[in-house]
Amino acid sequence: MRGMSLRTRVLAGLATVAFVLAVTAWGITTTTRDHLVDQVDDRLTASASPNRDGQFGGNPPQPPADPPDGPPERLSDVFEGYLSENSDLEAIFEPNTPGKEYSPPDISWDDVTGAEGDPFTVSSVDGDTTYRAVATPAENGAFVRAIPLDDVDETVNQLILFQVIGVSVVLLVLAAVGWWVVHLGIRPIRAMTRSADEISEDDLSVRVPEPSAEGTEVAALAHTLNTMLDRIETAVDRQASSEERLRRFAADASHELRTPVTTIRGYAELYRHGGLGGKDELDDAMRRTEQEAG
């Protein structure tokens, strides 16, 4: 994370939040479906077994000796039937809730023996419905009770729809906040960077633009940088002024020294060429040399 830009960090944070939301939604959906299926299982295991006459009793049912012309009529979503060992399923009660038609469950004897008395999931004969079923041992077969999971699937689908809408809204809000942070929050920093590049080209008159909104970290940083630039520019101006005075002093000193040094050199050359033969002339030359040196 140390080498990442602010833009990358914001995007990484948004991706992490999106991942957490997706995992949370998946966990809620899975937990809710498992809970609803457990409720269906409780209905199946808690229901009493009907006897041959369709009445509930405590003994496991026996296969009907003389099956009726059709399943008895009663308002329920529970399928009840007798499954023989050769996988022939005979309906005793069929789901007949208003407005819904169900195909009977597609249950084989292997499904019953493999479940070992626990609830299990099977599809319908036409494949359009999923059932949760439980089998109770009976003579030469098993009594089967099954409840379609259409209500469970509908509830879970609605939950998924609400979660998709909710997560989408949250992600849109986060994306808007991320855009605001990246584009509006980083824009002053980019402007400060451009100003710093101009300053590095020896243009000390450039100042970092200060945001209009006071009290923010960017505004405080811009103010601090501008204060520092003022001090640097003042120090550089003072140094330049001092160097200019030194150059003028050197020029003036050079000019002032040129005349006496030339005079002293002239008397020295005059003496070297024998131009000061008498004592009086030599004394006068030494006196003038001393004056020029002073």
Side-chain angles (χ1 to χ4, degrees):
M1 293 293 289
R2 293 182 179 178
M4 292 184 179
S5 63
L6 180 57
R7 179 195 299 270
T8 304
R9 293 182 182 183
V10 171
L11 293 178
L14 292 178
T16 302
V17 172
F19 175 76
V20 172
L21 288 176
V23 172
T24 303
W26 175 82
I28 292 175
T29 302
T30 303
T31 303
T32 301
R33 179 177 177 81
D34 292 342
H35 178 69
L36 294 176
V37 171
D38 288 342
Q39 289 182 338
V40 174
D41 292 344
D42 292 339
R43 287 183 58 193
L44 289 172
T45 55
S47 61
S49 302
N51 56 26
R52 293 183 49 184
D53 299 328
Q55 303 299 322
F56 287 93
N59 298 323
Q62 303 299 323
D66 298 320
D69 295 337
E73 292 294 333
R74 58 79 169 111
L75 188 62
S76 176
D77 62 346
V78 181
F79 174 89
E80 299 176 1
Y82 173 79
L83 181 69
S84 64
E85 295 181 354
N86 58 2
S87 299
D88 291 334
L89 180 62
E90 180 182 353
I92 299 176
F93 291 108
E94 290 184 354
N96 59 351
T97 53
K100 295 183 180 181
E101 294 183 0
Y102 296 101
S103 175
D106 185 13
I107 302 177
S108 65
W109 185 251
D110 292 336
D111 295 331
V112 173
T113 56
E116 298 180 351
D118 296 327
F120 56 94
T121 302
V122 294
S123 63
S124 61
V125 174
D126 60 7
D128 293 337
T129 305
T130 301
Y131 282 91
R132 192 69 173 169
V134 67
T136 303
E139 182 179 354
N140 299 324
F143 176 71
V144 176
R145 292 185 299 277
I147 297 177
L149 297 179
D150 287 0
D151 292 340
V152 174
D153 294 336
E154 183 178 357
T155 301
V156 172
N157 290 336
Q158 290 181 353
L159 176 62
I160 292 175
L161 177 62
F162 292 151
Q163 288 179 338
V164 169
I165 296 175
V167 171
S168 300
V169 171
V170 172
L171 291 180
L172 287 176
V173 173
L174 289 177
V177 173
W179 180 89
W180 180 79
V181 171
V182 171
H183 291 275
L184 301 182
I186 297 180
R187 185 180 301 172
I189 298 179
R190 289 180 176 175
M192 294 166 61
T193 303
R194 290 192 296 267
S195 300
D197 292 337
E198 295 177 2
I199 294 171
S200 63
E201 298 175 359
D202 298 333
D203 187 4
L204 295 178
S205 63
V206 178
R207 291 295 179 268
V208 173
E210 297 186 16
S212 58
E214 299 180 356
T216 62
E217 291 80 0
V218 176
L221 177 60
H223 178 73
T224 302
L225 288 177
N226 286 333
T227 302
M228 180 186 67
L229 290 174
D230 290 338
R231 295 176 179 175
I232 293 176
E233 185 178 15
T234 300
V236 170
D237 291 341
R238 289 178 180 175
Q239 182 180 2
S241 178
S242 177
E243 291 177 354
E244 180 64 23
R245 289 196 301 270
L246 181 59
R247 284 194 293 269
R248 288 199 302 268
F249 169 77
D252 294 342
S254 176
H255 177 73
E256 295 294 333
L257 287 174
R258 187 176 294 114
T259 300
V261 170
T262 301
T263 302
I264 293 173
R265 180 179 179 181
Y267 280 114
E269 290 180 352
L270 183 63
Y271 174 77
R272 183 166 55 82
H273 288 90
L276 301 175
K279 183 178 181 301
D280 293 338
E281 293 179 353
L282 182 59
D283 291 340
D284 183 64
M286 291 297 101
R287 181 181 59 78
R288 291 180 177 273
T289 300
E290 183 180 6
Q291 289 178 350
E292 295 298 330

